[in-house]
Amino acid sequence: MRLIYRRHEKGDTIIEVLFAVAVFAMVAVGSMSIMNQGTSTAERSLEITLVRQQMDAQTEAIRYIHNAYVTAFQNNGNAVTGTAAEWVKMTDKTTGLGADGASAFGQISGVSCPATVPGQHPFVLNARTATVSNAAPVMTAPLNASLPPFAQIIYNSDSSINSAYGIWVEAVPSATTNGPGFVDFHIRACWDSPGSSAPITLGTIVRLYEP
């Protein structure tokens, strides 16, 4: 009776086992791929939000300096000083950082951001002190150091700028002599994001008129 019972037992064949393992592997790999894509998308969204905040800080600093310049100019018309003088540093083509034109937005060489900051006179503002920074923006990591994960300005504890990576401003005054003069501030950012085959570029333009 025992021998007869074993003859009727049925098990999985080696082919069935291999097929089950293959299906499980496909499902597992697909799930991990979807999870990685979701993680990369969430991280990319966070980076864009943080970089936009940095760009907004540059915008607010530019507007603050412009207001100071307009107020000082309307009060006495003499040479401006203090915060108002930062406007001249940003916009004057001869003594300041004013440029004849802006670099092409979104123009990148290959699959990474350019090695050097494009534009004629790129600069950044210290948004904490509303001054033009002497720290030149960079696109590459210093020797024996790594790049930040996204474009940003890193401040020291005394509110001075430690470094500015992947974010910059280009000031382009109007070339026409007729009509009110204005300055276009092109605020740009470019950085390499994980999970993306191309760099992320952000840009905005702020136009402010001369008094």
Side-chain angles (χ1 to χ4, degrees), residues 109-181:
S109 56
V111 295
S112 61
C113 293
T116 58
V117 179
Q120 192 173 358
H121 293 138
F123 64 93
V124 291
L125 293 173
N126 186 325
R128 297 183 179 180
T129 59
T131 55
V132 179
S133 174
N134 294 324
V138 299
M139 303 298 293
T140 56
L143 186 64
N144 298 326
S146 59
L147 286 173
F150 54 89
Q152 60 184 282
I153 297 173
I154 301 174
Y155 291 89
N156 296 315
S157 58
D158 61 352
S159 293
S160 61
I161 291 181
N162 180 286
S163 60
Y165 159 70
I167 183 170
W168 70 96
V169 181
E170 300 173 37
V172 183
S174 60
T176 58
T177 56
N178 298 326

Side-chain angles (χ1 to χ4, degrees), residues 181-195:
F182 61 85
V183 181
D184 286 334
F185 293 91
H186 300 256
I187 305 173
R188 307 280 177 77
C190 180
W191 74 99
D192 298 318
S193 183

